[in-house]
Amino acid sequence: MLRKLIKYDILADYKRYGIVFAAMFLFSILLMVLDRLTDMFKENRFIQVMMIVCVMLFFAAVIVMFTMIFVIATIRFYKNLVRDEGYLMHTLPVPTWKLIMSKFITTYIWSVAALIVMGICFGIVAGEPLWIFKLDIGWEILSSAFTEDTVNGTPEQLRNFFLVCFIVMALTPGFMVLHIYMSLALGNLFHTHKLGMSVLMFFALYIAEQLLSGVAMLFMSSEMVEYLTVIDSVVPFEAGYRYMMTSMIFSIVYTIVLMVGFFIGSERIFSKKLNLE
């Protein structure tokens, strides 16, 4: 049943995403053409102005594309589970966690699709649409630069750093979506002004998250200062690398804990404290 719910959520919004993705491809092709024309007619002010305008529109389309993912995710969740459609959705022979999970997974699917589209579009602009298949060359250059004397790192450290960065980036959209879901679930507990209370809960949760992470980072910083006072000054990279990796690993664990808490919290509220409009 979860697969059917995901299919329904994808089909419900594919036209909206299709328009934005098509606009991205259009701007990228136009940028590529203008770039060629700029090289051919270097003194043409009109083409230069058009190039600048198109670049601005292209990056605006990138921002709109990723913003749209979270806006649509919020609207669909709110309409399906909190507003009138919730009377039907919550009567389906499906546990509440599957209703939430389907929307969560769908958001990830569209996020990955947007990243792929963005990568292809940047490749079109650069004249290398299939640049992703040449990443091994870039990795070799980066690895050699990372291990030279000025940095004095190791290939293993570089791989670990990119792995941790990838996990952080992969968790970010899920965390943002579940933060929104939890805010809407808390707003659902109020009898009036549910949307307004959901917005208020969004900022309240954000403040609480920042306070908790700030306190935790203070403890980490104090330990790092102590570490820096005893470490040999000839290996400053090791100190910075250790602190950076520790901070990001803490961020990963902290994010996962909050994501699990938000998912369980929103599921429990909609299961036990449903209060539809």
Side-chain angles (χ1 to χ4, degrees), residues 96 100 263-274:
T96 304
I100 299 173
F263 185 86
I264 294 175
S266 57
E267 189 276 334
R268 288 291 84 193
I269 289 175
F270 284 114
S271 295
K272 303 299 183 182
K273 301 288 184 181
L274 187 61

Side-chain angles (χ1 to χ4, degrees), residues 114-132:
L115 283 173
I116 294 172
V117 169
M118 184 182 70
I120 295 173
C121 289
F122 275 109
I124 292 173
V125 173
E128 289 285 350
L130 302 178
W131 61 271
I132 194 169

